[in-house]
């Protein structure tokens, strides 16, 4: 790979509902694991990261069809891993070829619902009186999604809070509300997020902020539903508090 390559343009960053796009093939090679890898000038595929699994789908043109099985980002370059449907080899692919990218719609929709549900859980946690908890690590995968919060909660509240959180989520889902995404100057982003941003966000950056309805914004690079009502349901399966961290496990049956 060329160390001077420009960052991959993220088509989903501004339009989360785009499932197809055209791009130019920059390179095709086997990575160190022996996996077929394509790098493009832009992508509509969401790479794994931020607690969200990668998209899957296909990259094609009249000469080949490449099945995308995994997508990762490193140093702002997005790598598409998978295999060619025929016996074609990576060295047969012409650099500069125009290709059509198609994202698996069902998988993207599920990932977006799970991610938005995690953000909705943050709002519910505040609304049921746990506003001292600060969202930390999140895992928005289908196999056991959860959000971890910095801060402990009383043991005697662990039994009653799941139901309270579910009722609050149900109320907000029924009410609905636009999910908006904005790329903002640091100060404006900070204001939308309640007056501060996490330390890992550089002061000279323009963070991408996701806001559910009229709730507080949150810095996020993922994909989401268009409206809170599209989350459909949120169930809390378990709450555990240990060593100053409270873990809330959820699902979206």
């Amino acid at each position: 790979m060329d160390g001077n390559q420009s960052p991959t343009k993220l088509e989903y960053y501004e339009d989360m509902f785009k499932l197809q796009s055209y791009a130019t093939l920059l390179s095709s090679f086997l990575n160190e694991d022996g996996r077929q890898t394509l790098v493009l000038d832009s992508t509509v595929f969401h790479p794994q990261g931020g607690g969200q699994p990668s998209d899957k789908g296909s990259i094609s043109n009249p000469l080949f069809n490449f099945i995308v099985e995994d997508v990762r980002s490193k140093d702002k370059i997005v790598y598409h891993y998978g295999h060619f449907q025929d016996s074609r080899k990576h060295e047969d692919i012409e650099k500069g070829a125009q290709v059509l990218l198609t994202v698996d719609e069902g998988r993207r929709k599920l990932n977006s619902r799970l991610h938005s549900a995690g953000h909705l859980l943050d709002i519910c946690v505040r609304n049921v009186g746990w506003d001292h908890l600060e969202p930390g690590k999140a895992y928005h995968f289908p196999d056991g999604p959860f959000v971890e919060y910095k801060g402990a909660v009383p043991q005697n509240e662990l039994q009653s809070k799941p139901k309270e959180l579910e009722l609050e989520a149900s109320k907000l889902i029924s009410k609905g509300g636009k999910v908006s995404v904005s790329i903002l100057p640091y100060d404006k982003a900070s204001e939308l997020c309640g007056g501060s941003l996490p330390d890992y966000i550089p002061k000279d950056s323009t963070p991408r902020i996701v806001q559910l309805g009229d709730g507080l914004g949150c810095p996020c690079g993922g994909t989401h539903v268009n409206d809170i009502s599209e989350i459909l349901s949120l169930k809390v399966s378990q709450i555990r508090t240990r060593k100053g961290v409270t873990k809330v496990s959820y699902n979206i049956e």
Side-chain angles (χ1 to χ4, degrees):
M1 282 300 308
D2 179 0
N4 299 319
Q5 189 183 317
S6 299
T8 310
K9 183 177 189 299
L10 307 176
E11 297 277 352
Y12 66 85
Y13 214 63
E14 291 177 28
D15 184 354
M16 299 185 292
F17 311 107
K18 194 172 185 178
L19 295 169
Q20 278 196 325
S21 69
Y22 288 94
T24 301
L25 179 66
L26 299 181
S27 58
S28 169
F29 57 95
L30 291 180
N31 79 340
E32 52 276 15
D33 304 333
R35 289 195 292 175
Q36 299 274 8
T37 308
L38 301 187
V39 175
L40 314 167
D41 66 334
S42 67
T43 188
V44 74
F45 286 89
H46 183 284
Q48 181 171 313
Q52 181 172 329
S54 85
D55 284 329
K56 294 186 178 184
S58 66
I59 296 172
S60 61
N61 75 2
L63 298 177
F64 69 84
N65 189 37
F66 183 81
I67 304 303
V68 178
E69 297 161 342
D70 190 15
V71 187
R72 301 295 172 114
S73 178
K74 185 182 179 190
D75 299 327
K76 297 187 176 178
I77 308 294
V78 176
Y79 299 87
H80 306 79
Y81 302 114
H83 66 273
F84 293 102
Q85 273 202 306
D86 53 21
S87 56
R88 193 175 296 276
K89 293 186 173 65
H90 64 91
E91 56 264 27
D92 300 336
I93 304 304
E94 187 187 340
K95 312 296 179 287
Q98 293 300 296
V99 291
L100 172 66
L101 289 63
T102 305
V103 171
D104 179 322
E105 183 176 8
R107 181 179 171 90
R108 163 70 71 83
K109 281 188 168 175
L110 176 61
N111 290 346
S112 297
R113 280 182 63 216
L114 283 161
H115 202 148
S116 293
H119 283 235
L120 185 69
L121 187 61
D122 294 345
I123 296 171
C124 294
V125 161
R126 285 193 293 270
N127 289 357
V128 301
W130 280 355
D131 47 3
H132 66 289
L133 294 183
E134 186 186 324
K137 180 184 170 187
Y139 181 80
H140 308 299
F141 284 59
D143 61 328
F146 65 83
V147 180
E148 284 184 352
Y149 298 90
K150 292 175 195 163
V153 296
Q155 289 289 337
N156 62 352
E157 291 185 18
L158 294 181
Q159 296 305 312
S160 60
K161 284 298 184 190
K163 203 73 207 162
E164 277 186 60
L165 287 166
E166 287 178 7
L167 287 169
E168 184 63 23
S170 180
K171 186 177 83 179
L172 293 172
I173 289 167
S174 297
K175 181 184 171 190
K178 176 79 179 153
V179 176
S180 57
V181 172
S182 320
I183 296 166
L184 299 166
Y186 185 91
D187 290 346
K188 185 73 180 164
S190 176
E191 198 180 302
L192 202 58
C193 297
S196 65
L197 289 171
D199 294 340
Y200 63 81
I201 296 178
K203 297 270 195 299
D204 59 352
S205 66
T206 51
R208 180 178 185 263
I209 305 300
V210 172
Q211 191 175 15
L212 271 62
D214 54 9
L216 285 177
C218 175
C220 179
T223 64
H224 290 269
V225 295
N226 189 41
D227 191 279
I228 294 170
S229 60
E230 293 170 26
I231 296 170
L232 301 178
S233 73
L234 190 155
K235 301 292 180 195
V236 176
S237 49
Q238 188 182 47
I239 303 176
R240 292 196 336 219
T241 190
R242 186 166 175 261
K243 293 183 177 173
V245 173
T246 299
K247 179 180 177 181
V248 183
S249 300
Y250 69 95
N251 57 63
I252 55 166
E253 296 164 348

